[in-house]
């Protein structure tokens, strides 16, 4: 495929950015990939791994002359990063992000974007429980959604180019508004992560009673269900701090359902449990 961008600057070189670098390389989507990460150790690792053409020691150097800048740091770090790079952005450049929450990122980043530079927020619905520059791989985005949440007045040509990049990496692109994104993700990703973290905490409490048996005999259900609780704590702290309203709303609904099931168990109401599990099994089977 012909290069879509001439110089892509990746800021933050963890799972998502390293996967983008691998995918862009594999598909020839960028003529040059420049990377920057805050820690000298990460920069040294990326130089050794070689998935960027250049790794710079400052964010300013990385974005200089770039026609695409990708902010791939935890959500809470996006605003300060945008402020830092703003004076160094090239006229006409596109800035995007990959953060898991959209309204808070837009509110933090947009005030720093200079006139003549585009900003379109985005979120690839792809990830693993691993983090850091060694965890990336070229096929991470293949057949996964990449949601873009452009402002109403976003430049359609710039949007089409960003969409082409995401599609070039194998993703299916959908465009929606940021509040809708945050509500949908609170249901499908954010609250499930919170519940998984909680379940591991409960098991650990119990471990004090049953020694190491909870971990040793943890059944497939526990392992599948709690896999995502191995995810990066900084990233997830920021998700809950910045998608507060939507996650509290979904958590309230979840708690109501859980109490209803708790009551059914206490009352021995098998009918209620059976009906509930039949309905939710059908829904789950509809999800590929
Ligand atoms: P990661 O922990 O693998 O990498 C984050 C990188 O950012 C690290 O290299 C870290 O050192 C660097 N960093 C942190 N603060 C920084 C700062 N202030 N300036 C410069 N670099 C900084 O994380 P990741 O999984 O690649 O996540 C990056 C973004 O992508 C997050 O906003 C996250 O919400 C989003 N995201 C993650 C997933 C997932 O499943 N992991 C999926 C979709 C989107």
């Amino acid at each position: 495929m012909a290069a879509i961008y001439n110089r892509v600057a990746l800021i933050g070189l963890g799972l998502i950015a390293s996967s983008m670098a691998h995918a862009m390389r594999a598909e020839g989507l960028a003529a040059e990939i420049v990377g920057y990460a805050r820690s000298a150790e990460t920069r040294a690792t990326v130089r050794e791994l070689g998935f960027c053409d250049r790794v710079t020691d400052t964010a300013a150097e990385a974005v200089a002359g770039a026609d695409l800048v990708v902010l791939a740091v935890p959500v809470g770090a996006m605003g300060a990063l945008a402020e830092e790079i703003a004076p160094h952005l090239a006229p006409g450049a596109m800035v995007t992000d990959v953060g898991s929450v959209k309204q808070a990122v837009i509110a933090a980043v947009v005030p720093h974007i200079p006139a003549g530079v585009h900003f379109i927020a985005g979120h690839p619905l792809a990830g693993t429980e691993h983090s850091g520059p060694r965890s990336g791989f070229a096929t991470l985005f293949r057949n996964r959604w990449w949601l873009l949440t452009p402002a109403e007045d976003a430049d359609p040509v710039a949007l089409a180019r960003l969409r082409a990049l995401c599609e070039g990496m194998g993703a299916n692109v959908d465009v929606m508004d940021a509040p809708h994104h945050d509500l949908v993700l609170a249901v499908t990703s954010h609250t499930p992560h919170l519940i998984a973290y909680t379940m591991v905490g409960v098991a650990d409490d119990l471990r004090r009673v049953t020694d190491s048996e909870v971990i040793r005999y943890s059944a497939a259900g526990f392992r599948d269900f709690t896999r995502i609780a191995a995810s990066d704590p900084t990233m997830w702290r920021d998700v809950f701090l910045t998608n507060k309203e939507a996650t509290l709303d979904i958590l309230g609904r979840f708690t109501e359902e859980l109490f209803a099931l708790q009551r059914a168990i206490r009352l021995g109401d098998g009918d209620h449990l059976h009906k509930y599990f039949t309905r939710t099994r059908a829904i789950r089977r509809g999800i590929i």
Side-chain angles (χ1 to χ4, degrees), residues 11-17 36-39 42 71-75 77-78 81 84 97-101 123-133 135 193 231-232 235-236 239:
I11 313 293
L13 296 169
L15 169 71
I16 300 295
Y36 166 75
R38 188 181 44 167
S39 102
T42 303
L71 310 180
V73 298
V75 169
M78 297 277 186
L81 180 60
E84 184 185 344
D97 79 294
V98 295
S100 305
V101 178
H123 179 201
L125 303 193
T128 70
E129 68 277 27
H130 303 294
S131 53
S135 57
H193 273 82
S231 303
D232 186 67
M235 170 186 158
W236 285 99
V239 165

